[in-house]
Amino acid sequence: YSMCKNRPTCALFGNAYFTRSKSRKSRQRSHPLVERSFSKYLFAPPPFRFGIFIIERSAPLSLDTKKAQIRIMKLIEQVQLSDLINVAGIGAASINETPVYSDLVMGGYGHLFAFDGDSRQIPALRKLYGDHATVLNHFLADGDPHTAHICREDTGMTSLLKPNQTALTFFNNFSLFGKVLKEERIQTTRLDDIDKIGDLHFVKMDVQGSELNILKNGLKKLSNCVAVQLEVSFICLYENQPGFGEIDI
């Protein structure tokens, strides 16, 4: 991976490409809230696994990407779906990012089930999506009690896992972003146990290390899912966080 802001988007079936900028100047331009040790991991759930896509968060949309989005929206209009596409945003708070499903939901082609355990994020989600979304204030996991490590709301670092300060110091200002303000004992919920939602067709998940736990406890809801977009880590920023390899397996 690369820490430079202008790193390219990489997409390859079955492999992960890592790029590293040779320009010290470009690495210095990196924005701490945008540049992370993460890439996106998109896959179809078993048995429909077809490969791995690495999508860099900071890569700007190219003209070709925008054209592709327009073609996709036109295709949806031509298909004339009889039912809405069920979209789940798990860890739905949009911090310095526009979710990939935004046009789909706001265009009336899908309904968003927006999950976020951090109650501070809920009002903004309801204001942003209105009737296009069902906003659910749940920490998704295995259904057991856990300790939530609450960080500043504008960092998106609040997690069921404790931030790893040793790893965070490697990145600009991340020690501050991962500073735990308080700890709360909370009850988690299994994705499969939520009756308000039926089968999900597309899922975007950004939950600060809880991705694998949520997947394991949501297999029924994901059984007819077309694709899942995960944020996974090559350098784990939380203690006991499953990395890219563990989630891939």
Side-chain angles (χ1 to χ4, degrees):
Y1 73 98
S2 167
M3 288 195 63
C4 66
K5 186 174 182 179
N6 60 347
R7 64 194 183 193
T9 296
C10 304
L12 182 68
F13 280 102
N15 288 283
Y17 264 7
F18 302 91
T19 60
R20 185 176 180 83
S21 170
K22 296 180 180 179
S23 169
R24 183 178 181 183
K25 183 178 180 181
S26 66
R27 290 199 295 273
Q28 291 174 339
R29 291 201 305 267
S30 63
H31 190 290
L33 278 179
V34 176
E35 301 300 328
R36 296 193 179 186
S37 60
F38 297 117
S39 290
K40 306 280 185 177
Y41 178 32
L42 181 66
F43 67 91
F48 308 106
R49 189 80 158 264
F50 55 82
I52 300 171
F53 292 85
I54 302 300
I55 306 171
E56 300 288 4
R57 167 179 293 195
S58 61
L61 287 179
S62 66
L63 183 60
D64 288 342
T65 303
K66 291 179 180 178
K67 288 181 179 179
Q69 287 181 332
I70 293 173
R71 290 198 296 268
I72 290 172
M73 298 309 292
K74 287 183 177 179
L75 175 61
I76 291 174
E77 290 177 355
Q78 292 173 356
V79 171
Q80 296 182 349
L81 298 172
S82 58
D83 298 308
L84 292 176
I85 298 170
N86 286 337
V87 178
I90 304 176
S94 301
I95 299 175
N96 291 343
E97 179 183 27
T98 299
V100 295
Y101 52 70
S102 181
D103 289 343
L104 186 70
V105 171
M106 299 307 290
Y109 303 106
H111 185 79
L112 173 64
F113 295 93
F115 292 89
D116 208 295
D118 189 344
S119 59
R120 298 170 299 179
Q121 308 291 351
I122 299 303
L125 287 170
R126 287 176 174 154
K127 180 179 179 180
L128 178 62
Y129 293 108
D131 294 337
H132 296 285
T134 300
V135 180
L136 301 163
N137 186 198
H138 291 294
F139 275 106
L140 293 182
D142 53 12
D144 293 333
H146 287 264
T147 298
H149 304 273
I150 310 298
C151 302
R152 273 174 29 200
E153 67 178 291
D154 61 337
T155 66
M157 295 286 289
T158 293
S159 175
L160 296 180
L161 302 178
K162 185 177 181 180
N164 185 336
Q165 288 298 326
T166 301
L168 291 174
T169 56
F170 182 74
F171 301 97
N172 294 339
N173 294 326
F174 265 52
S175 293
L176 297 177
F177 301 150
K179 182 179 179 180
V180 177
L181 303 179
K182 61 179 180 179
E183 296 181 347
E184 292 182 1
R185 196 66 178 167
I186 54 92
Q187 177 64 45
T188 65
T189 306
R190 297 173 71 249
L191 179 60
D192 277 342
D193 292 340
I194 298 178
D195 296 329
K196 286 186 177 181
I197 61 176
D199 288 342
L200 296 172
H201 306 126
F202 176 75
V203 174
K204 177 184 180 295
M205 197 182 305
D206 183 356
V207 287
Q208 308 305 308
S210 295
E211 291 82 5
L212 185 57
N213 203 352
I214 294 173
L215 289 172
K216 287 180 177 179
N217 290 279
L219 295 179
K220 288 192 297 183
K221 298 293 185 183
L222 297 173
S223 60
N224 290 315
C225 192
V226 176
V228 176
Q229 178 185 342
L230 297 179
E231 186 180 65
V232 299
S233 181
F234 298 102
I235 299 177
C236 295
L237 301 186
Y238 297 88
E239 296 179 5
N240 302 313
Q241 176 184 357
F244 176 88
E246 293 175 80
I247 294 177
D248 184 33
I249 292 173

